[in-house]
Amino acid sequence: MRLRGLFAVALLASCFAASARKPVAPPSPVSPQLDVELVLSQNEVGVEVPATASQVGMQFGLIGALVGTAIQDQQAKNAEARIVPVRNLLAEYDFNQRVESALRDRLASPGLSPDPRLRVSNAPDSTPEVAGGRPVPAEVLILIPRWAMDYDFGALTVYLQANLIERQTKPNGKVKVAVKFARSYSYSFPMHSGARGERDRKWAELGSDRLTALVDEAVVQLGDMLAFDFSNEGRATWQAKIGDKEFVRVNDVGFPGRSLRQAPDWAWVRVGKGWPMIKGYHPIVASTYGSTDKPVDAVPEAPVATPPAGP
């Protein structure tokens, strides 16, 4: 059931991206009073199982397709069983609330809108009117967040899909939807501690406080990515040509892409061709387990003055 819900969210995001027209950069700001829909339909961390097995199986006819599907289903069942300890550690974490709070703080930006109007829903509106009789806006930025663990526990990733869409109500009352512009962002925690078969245990060893601090970091970083991407600085790199040999290194781990921002434990990179997207990486290494987590926006405490020694 959890996997079906995750697939539905991923499919929703991919459908919007796939139906986009040839990208045309929106104005800056996108709108003086931008309508924004935040679609919150996944609160519990999901598991991503690639469709590789079923796709390969299809190349060998019906029997191959059945075998491939069976392999993929078994991968999903195994991953669902192994992720239980991690889910238990995150049981009290309100992902949807954290995402909403982070985006509310960052939507009002020079490149997006000085006065955004945010609406939270469980699915994008597709009817001529929403609850209360308010007309569906003709242009709206739809934001779809999700988070998931790789089925082999190689990385925990938080995603944000941003689609600027246009709605037109036809004479028969149906609404035609077209994606005018689409952007996507992700912030990953690749596991680089322990052996491959120990990954699920290494995630659990982080503990509840450290895991929630990491996800909080990702949520805040994605909000910053969105605001940065639509800023003048970000827009200038929307069609940058990224060299195949460009990469950044964080804690001795290399990641492909052009460096945008970097700190000791994380980095943002531009990746892709045509209209490169932003990805963030914070590798989980041995030092992650011994570091002291601080809130992402924490202000360092002022030093306490030491009184002079007495005579």
Side-chain angles (χ1 to χ4, degrees):
M1 185 66 181
R2 290 168 179 151
L3 279 172
R4 285 198 295 270
L6 177 61
F7 289 154
V9 173
L11 180 62
L12 181 64
S14 65
C15 285
F16 272 120
S19 63
R21 303 169 178 169
K22 184 177 180 180
V24 177
S28 181
V30 178
S31 173
Q33 198 170 52
L34 180 64
D35 284 289
V36 182
E37 268 184 45
L38 176 59
V39 181
L40 299 176
S41 56
Q42 182 207 350
N43 197 51
E44 185 180 65
V45 62
V47 181
E48 282 198 326
V49 180
T52 306
S54 61
Q55 289 172 351
V56 171
M58 288 179 184
Q59 299 177 24
F60 299 93
L62 177 60
I63 300 300
L66 292 173
V67 171
T69 300
I71 292 173
Q72 187 172 322
D73 287 346
Q74 189 58 51
Q75 289 175 336
K77 290 177 182 178
N78 291 342
E80 283 289 338
R82 291 173 62 196
I83 201 174
V84 169
V86 175
R87 279 207 178 112
N88 289 341
L89 291 171
L90 293 166
E92 302 300 318
Y93 187 77
D94 193 336
F95 176 75
N96 288 339
Q97 186 276 324
R98 300 296 181 99
V99 170
E100 180 181 347
S101 177
L103 291 178
R104 280 189 185 276
D105 291 343
R106 288 158 176 80
L107 283 173
S109 62
L112 284 168
S113 178
D115 184 24
R117 299 184 295 189
L118 179 64
R119 177 179 178 273
V120 180
S121 66
N122 298 119
D125 282 322
S126 59
T127 55
E129 293 188 350
V130 296
R134 180 174 62 86
V136 167
E139 184 178 83
V140 60
L141 179 67
I142 293 186
L143 302 176
I144 306 173
R146 62 186 181 92
W147 59 323
M149 181 76 74
D150 290 356
Y151 82 102
D152 62 355
F153 289 75
L156 173 64
T157 305
V158 185
Y159 305 88
L160 182 67
Q161 180 72 30
N163 301 303
L164 183 65
I165 73 167
E166 183 179 69
R167 296 189 180 108
Q168 294 180 345
T169 304
K170 296 181 178 181
N172 62 5
K174 293 184 178 181
V175 177
K176 179 182 179 182
V177 177
V179 179
K180 299 175 65 177
F181 196 65
R183 306 294 292 158
S184 63
Y185 315 94
S186 66
Y187 194 86
S188 297
F189 299 96
M191 177 56 72
H192 284 271
S193 179
R196 184 183 182 92
E198 301 175 321
R199 287 173 175 171
D200 47 347
R201 178 174 62 81
K202 296 301 292 184
W203 283 111
E205 284 180 3
L206 286 168
S208 179
D209 290 344
R210 203 177 302 273
L211 275 172
T212 55
L214 290 174
V215 182
D216 273 345
E217 175 186 324
V219 167
V220 170
Q221 292 270 17
L222 286 172
D224 288 342
M225 284 182 189
L226 177 67
F228 166 82
D229 198 32
F230 280 84
S231 70
N232 289 337
E233 182 183 0
R235 287 167 181 260
T237 63
W238 272 353
Q239 291 187 280
K241 293 183 178 179
I242 312 300
D244 293 336
K245 296 183 179 180
E246 293 189 64
F247 75 99
V248 299
R249 189 169 292 279
V250 182
N251 282 328
D252 244 2
V253 182
F255 301 99
R258 176 171 298 174
S259 177
L260 288 177
R261 289 185 182 178
Q262 188 162 2
D265 293 327
W266 57 267
W268 292 4
V269 293
R270 280 270 190 218
V271 295
K273 305 292 184 182
W275 292 77
M277 302 302 183
I278 302 178
K279 290 187 176 183
Y281 296 100
H282 179 157
I284 305 300
V285 295
S287 60
T288 308
Y289 295 82
S291 64
T292 301
D293 293 318
K294 295 181 180 179
V296 175
D297 294 328
V299 177
E301 294 183 4
V304 178
T306 304

